[in-house]
Amino acid sequence: MRLRRCPLYLGKHREPKTLLRHLKSITAPRALIEWLVTTATRESWRVQATQRDAQPVSPGAFDDVPDSDTLPEDLVLRNERHQALWNAMARLSESCRDLLRLVAFARRPNYDAVAVTLGMPKGSIGPTRGRCLAKLRRLLAEDRGWSVS
């Protein structure tokens, strides 16, 4: 970075992040913006120029990479299901969302840690989880875009 041309030059031994600490003292914000745009543009030109010398990939470089068994249509359907699930999750109460996020990705969640994190009795985690999952199932059943398969 060329700090000497910056409208807020702070000395040659200071780091560029020093600028962020002194944003309120900038007297010519438009000049700073122009300087940032110019510097970013020049840096991108520099990076682009260094990449021109990079070796192109040989035609056989990807021969060993296995083809995906998943068809694009299947990916679209999977993404739609995921979106429907997260939409239903967003409709749950905050406490249900927090609980399900904590226990959903663990094979055997540590209920002691969950209880401390959520500030709830350890003995109520299982029943609350069951009620939250039942509510989630009802929300998904109401969604026309959701299918079990």
Side-chain angles (χ1 to χ4, degrees), residues 8-10 14-27 32:
L8 180 66
Y9 175 62
L10 301 171
R14 298 224 180 147
E15 297 178 3
K17 67 181 177 184
T18 305
L19 289 173
L20 298 178
R21 291 190 206 125
H22 298 281
L23 280 178
K24 291 182 180 178
S25 65
I26 295 174
T27 57
L32 178 61

Side-chain angles (χ1 to χ4, degrees), residues 47-136:
V47 169
Q48 187 178 19
T50 60
Q51 291 179 351
R52 282 187 203 129
D53 300 332
Q55 295 296 320
V57 176
S58 67
F62 298 107
D63 289 345
D64 296 334
V65 177
D67 288 334
S68 173
D69 292 334
T70 308
L71 296 173
E73 296 86 6
D74 294 334
L75 291 173
V76 169
L77 292 173
R78 186 179 71 200
N79 288 341
E80 287 174 355
R81 284 179 48 83
H82 286 200
Q83 187 61 47
L85 174 63
W86 287 110
N87 288 342
M89 282 285 290
R91 293 173 56 198
L92 293 173
S93 67
E94 184 178 359
S95 59
C96 276
R97 284 193 310 264
D98 292 343
L99 176 60
L100 292 179
R101 283 185 181 130
L102 284 174
V103 300
F105 300 108
R107 177 175 278 177
R108 297 186 71 196
N110 181 339
Y111 276 20
D112 291 325
V114 172
V116 170
T117 301
L118 297 178
M120 63 189 302
K122 180 180 171 183
S124 68
I125 293 172
T128 304
R129 176 179 163 254
R131 287 190 297 275
C132 292
L133 287 172
K135 173 72 174 172
L136 182 61

